[in-house]
Amino acid sequence: MTLPVLVYCAAGNARLAEIAISAGYKYGAQLPRTVYHPLYMADQDYNRLGRLDAAGKARERGRYMRALAQHSPHMATVLDWERDEALPDVLDWAEEAAQHVERVLVVPKVIGGVSRLPRRIGGKDVVLAYSVPTRYGGTSVPVWEFARWPVHLLGGSPTAQMRLYSHLRGICEVVSADGNYAQKMATRYNQFYVPGGTASYASNRWWPTLTEADGCRWEGDAPYEAFRRSCINIMAAWEQLEGVML
């Protein structure tokens, strides 16, 4: 098996993007927002869309599609499929997005609905995006519905993604995974990821602070240093998963 493509998905900070890319990540961002490098992945703002009425959603769709046309990412999400009756809208988004990408990411959240999705749309491959459960959302669709599909892991912590990968890898091809959890831990708390949760010296053995790890107080660039360490460690953790061949 091959290592899934790892995507750092966050707009608005060129330095963080450069750190992630240097560690081996592809670059992704929610659109339309400020981006600094060619995009591998584009994402729509799910939280914002959920607060808008039909007219607002239409405006956001137009802005999103224009941004896809401008950046031509390798793959892009479309409207989440949250209600059975919304499938025509989801497929309509996908048909339009397919004009600007190589792969369309469809996020199924309707139990029992995956079998109704097309394998290709607008001449482009459909990849199922599994919304990794977090306190902000996720999917209740059982993992076995994703069998024999190419799958992208959408968001979540590195630990949650790798645990989910271990369940999915026997029934489908996990082609990629994205997130910005490490950015949040670095910029809010100066914490970085440690594979295996082996930082026994720290209050959070998976996410020690720089001060706990180094025994001295960090100044100035601490969030960037924490993020750099996370990127390196997360990449290494994926590479060390059993059965992965680089």
Side-chain angles (χ1 to χ4, degrees):
M1 299 183 70
T2 58
L3 182 71
V5 173
L6 301 186
V7 182
Y8 166 64
C9 191
N13 190 309
R15 187 172 175 188
L16 289 174
E18 289 164 3
I19 290 170
I21 292 169
S22 294
Y25 283 75
K26 299 293 187 181
Y27 182 52
Q30 283 189 340
L31 294 179
R33 294 186 180 176
T34 303
V35 299
Y36 300 95
H37 299 276
L39 284 183
Y40 185 85
M41 173 187 170
D43 192 15
Q44 42 82 15
D45 190 340
Y46 164 75
N47 290 321
R48 176 172 170 77
L49 279 175
R51 297 192 299 267
L52 298 175
D53 60 15
K57 285 184 174 64
R59 286 193 296 272
E60 287 300 302
R61 172 176 171 167
R63 295 176 66 212
Y64 184 60
M65 296 301 172
R66 288 191 293 274
L68 290 185
Q70 176 185 352
H71 294 286
S72 298
H74 175 73
M75 60 185 185
T77 66
V78 294
L79 185 69
D80 288 16
W81 184 23
E82 297 186 287
R83 304 181 318 281
D84 187 83
E85 64 273 16
L87 182 57
D89 287 337
V90 173
L91 296 181
D92 195 47
W93 273 62
E95 186 82 33
E96 185 173 2
Q99 301 174 53
H100 312 298
V101 301
E102 294 303 314
R103 286 178 161 179
V104 179
L105 298 177
V106 174
V107 189
K109 295 182 177 179
V110 174
I111 295 174
V114 168
S115 63
R116 295 163 56 195
L117 293 172
R119 295 282 178 162
R120 288 175 64 82
I121 193 163
K124 305 298 174 61
D125 289 338
V126 172
V127 174
L128 298 187
Y130 188 105
S131 184
V132 180
T134 70
R135 61 177 176 166
Y136 299 106
T139 184
S140 57
V141 176
V143 294
W144 56 81
E145 289 200 39
F146 292 77
R148 296 178 295 281
W149 277 84
V151 172
H152 172 84
L153 302 183
L154 188 66
S157 71
T159 303
Q161 286 187 342
M162 284 184 264
R163 185 181 298 119
L164 181 59
Y165 172 75
S166 71
H167 292 296
L168 287 170
R169 65 192 297 186
I171 63 172
C172 66
E173 181 188 7
V174 180
V175 296
S176 49
D178 83 275
N180 56 25
Y181 191 92
Q183 172 191 309
K184 295 175 183 177
M185 297 298 284
T187 57
R188 294 179 184 178
Y189 312 113
N190 293 340
Q191 290 175 273
F192 65 96
Y193 176 78
V194 172
T198 56
S200 57
Y201 55 83
S203 58
N204 182 335
R205 62 190 179 91
W206 292 90
W207 295 90
T209 66
L210 292 176
T211 298
E212 288 173 325
D214 296 355
C216 61
R217 178 171 178 153
W218 271 80
E219 303 287 350
D221 287 346
Y224 294 101
E225 173 61 18
F227 184 67
R228 184 189 69 81
R229 294 187 194 187
S230 280
C231 288
I232 292 170
N233 289 347
I234 293 168
M235 186 68 67
W238 276 98
E239 291 171 356
Q240 291 168 8
L241 287 177
E242 182 180 359
V244 169
M245 305 267 312
L246 298 183

